[in-house]
Amino acid sequence: MSKSAELAALIRARAGDAAPHLGLILGSGLGHLAEEVQGVAIPYSDLPGFPQAGVSGHNPKLVIGDLEGVRVAVFGGRAHYYEHGNPAEMRLPLEILRDLGCGQLLLTNAAGSLRPDIGPGDLMALNDHIAFAGTNPLIGEPSDARFVPMTEAHDPEMRAGLAAAAAAEGVALPEGVYCWFSGPSFETPAEIRAARVLGADAVGMSTVPEVILARFLGLRVAAVSVVTNMGAGLSAENISHEHTKAMAPVGAAKLERVLRRYLRNL
Ligand code: HPA
């Protein structure tokens, strides 16, 4: 049995057999959303081989249960490329989701905005991305399945559902392009200007590898950024991880309303 099938069996034994409809990965400062789910919590440390998310502001456990009457699997934190230098660190968790029979994945992250009309505390749904970190989680994958089409990687139907949910909640949810920088240092002002020229609307240190892996594994995927700051050099505020963690809850409250409505509408 594959490692992911083994872990999926372990998770089913603890949380029950029903397939989660939606997988949710929570970004920096958004981990508390895992507490909203009525269900079974499994610490990552109980899942052998599972990447330990070592970033403060994450909540390293998997919770499987009900949110708004929909069965969900919530990852309270993710591993980042900058923690290990391995862009495929999230492959096992996503394989587990697939093996649990989950069809949709919603990724969330904290991000810096490059757009004057999207500020700290605002949300942005990703309609595309740029893998500026210059690596790919499928490097070394031997099968021809590695040649994943990315033309509509950010699922149009899920995005339409998110847009409808946001509109119903009165929450602004502009769409934009997310540019993946490796981190962990923040970008320089020159890098932010470069990203703008390239067509990016937001920058962050995650999500893109998971979008690629999700498409590779046949999961439908969409992602929402919680903007915690303007990109470096675009405003006078300081950029720091402390600031990210302090600002994320502002956007997280809006994200939670959109997510709950999205689930109710499914
Ligand atoms: N850059 C990269 N990642 C981030 C930022 C940023 O400005 N803010 C929150 N995560």
Side-chain angles (χ1 to χ4, degrees):
M1 215 196 296
S2 70
K3 178 124 214 135
S4 61
E6 260 173 47
L7 288 175
L10 183 155
I11 291 164
R12 276 199 205 93
R14 282 175 61 170
D17 280 338
H21 193 83
L22 179 90
L24 181 64
I25 295 183
L26 301 177
S28 296
L30 307 173
H32 78 276
L33 277 177
E35 312 299 335
E36 305 288 317
V37 178
Q38 312 292 313
V40 175
I42 306 174
Y44 289 174
S45 51
D46 287 5
L47 301 170
F50 206 84
Q52 302 300 312
V55 186
S56 61
H58 286 251
N59 190 355
K61 62 183 178 185
L62 168 64
V63 186
I64 301 210
D66 262 35
L67 193 59
E68 299 294 335
V70 177
R71 191 158 169 87
V72 294
V74 182
F75 292 92
R78 61 150 65 74
H80 298 80
Y81 174 54
Y82 61 71
E83 291 176 78
H84 322 82
N86 174 13
E89 234 359 78
M90 287 301 289
R91 180 161 171 165
L92 180 65
L94 298 190
E95 285 174 343
I96 292 169
L97 273 185
R98 177 202 56 194
D99 292 349
L100 288 172
C102 183
Q104 295 190 13
L105 173 65
L106 183 63
L107 303 166
T108 64
N109 60 57
S113 170
L114 308 193
R115 274 196 11 210
D117 61 317
I118 306 177
D122 289 342
L123 306 181
M124 186 190 91
L126 278 60
N127 57 13
D128 207 343
H129 70 238
I130 300 170
F132 200 66
T135 186
N136 191 295
L138 297 176
I139 290 174
E141 162 62 36
S143 72
D144 272 0
R146 65 188 161 188
F147 300 113
V148 181
M150 295 295 289
T151 311
E152 287 202 322
H154 298 261
D155 192 83
E157 206 178 304
M158 287 181 71
R159 279 160 47 205
L162 288 167
E169 288 295 324
V171 171
L173 187 63
E175 287 201 328
V177 174
Y178 174 96
C179 186
W180 175 39
F181 281 83
S182 75
S185 58
F186 285 102
E187 301 73 31
T188 64
E191 286 166 343
I192 292 297
R193 289 194 298 274
R196 280 177 83 163
V197 171
L198 292 178
D201 299 294
V203 292
M205 305 178 193
S206 67
T207 302
V208 168
E210 292 113 289
V211 171
I212 295 169
L213 286 165
R215 293 311 302 138
F216 171 69
L217 296 170
L219 294 165
R220 293 168 57 201
V221 64
V224 177
S225 289
V226 171
V227 170
T228 54
N229 56 277
M230 298 307 292
L234 298 181
S235 95
E237 77 193 332
N238 276 327
I239 300 178
S240 69
H241 188 57
E242 291 314 311
H243 182 83
T244 298
K245 285 189 291 181
M247 280 309 294
V250 179
K254 294 181 193 168
L255 177 62
E256 182 176 339
R257 280 165 53 208
V258 174
L259 173 66
R260 284 181 177 278
R261 177 77 72 148
Y262 178 82
L263 291 170
R264 284 205 296 280
N265 288 349
L266 280 179

